[in-house]
Amino acid sequence: MNTAESSALNAASAAPDIAARYLAAWNATDAAERERLVQGTFSTDVHYLDPMMEGRGHDGLAALIAGAQQRFAGHRFVLHGTPEGHHGVVRFSWALTAPGAEPVARGTDVAELDADGRLRRVTGFLDYVAG
């Protein structure tokens, strides 16, 4: 198996775990737990970008997450569909919802992995935002 095939298989098999760790970081309300998850899930030079915000590095990403949690208090990100991956890239969809309520947003994120399997670039797309 060549390096490209290995990378494709690793991203494909790791996609569900990567998506779960990603969502856990976005759902962590305790700052110390959030920091631990961000450091373990994202590369030190992570670049996050979606239509509403952008951040770089662990501190920048943690600040974005804290801001989202403040804005959407009581909401959680949940996996929507099945994560996929190939060639060092993963794609997964999510919904932002409060318990027992319809989602206020749904999105799809595409993320590039570094050599250690951590997310180094995340580009988010909003598929639905409640009006």
Side-chain angles (χ1 to χ4, degrees):
M1 180 179 313
N2 66 36
T3 304
E5 289 171 336
S6 176
S7 175
L9 290 174
N10 289 341
S13 64
D17 179 61
I18 290 167
R21 290 187 292 124
Y22 175 92
L23 295 175
W26 278 87
N27 286 328
T29 56
D30 177 73
E33 176 67 3
R34 181 171 50 247
E35 182 178 340
R36 183 188 70 74
L37 288 165
V38 165
Q39 289 178 2
T41 304
F42 300 89
S43 67
T44 58
D45 62 344
V46 62
H47 180 208
Y48 177 89
L49 176 67
D50 74 23
M52 299 180 351
M53 57 188 169
E54 179 176 6
R56 293 180 185 269
H58 287 165
D59 291 342
L61 182 60
L64 291 180
I65 293 170
Q69 288 178 352
Q70 184 176 21
R71 182 172 178 194
F72 296 101
H75 290 74
R76 295 187 51 80
F77 289 91
V78 295
L79 189 61
H80 183 75
T82 302
E84 299 177 297
H86 65 83
H87 296 91
V89 177
V90 296
R91 174 181 73 171
F92 53 90
S93 296
W94 49 265
L96 178 61
T97 186
E102 290 295 313
V104 297
R106 284 190 200 96
T108 299
D109 291 355
V110 177
E112 297 173 17
L113 305 178
D114 69 9
D116 296 321
R118 294 184 302 163
L119 302 172
R120 74 168 170 222
R121 182 171 176 84
V122 180
T123 304
F125 295 86
L126 297 175
D127 301 327
Y128 163 81
V129 177

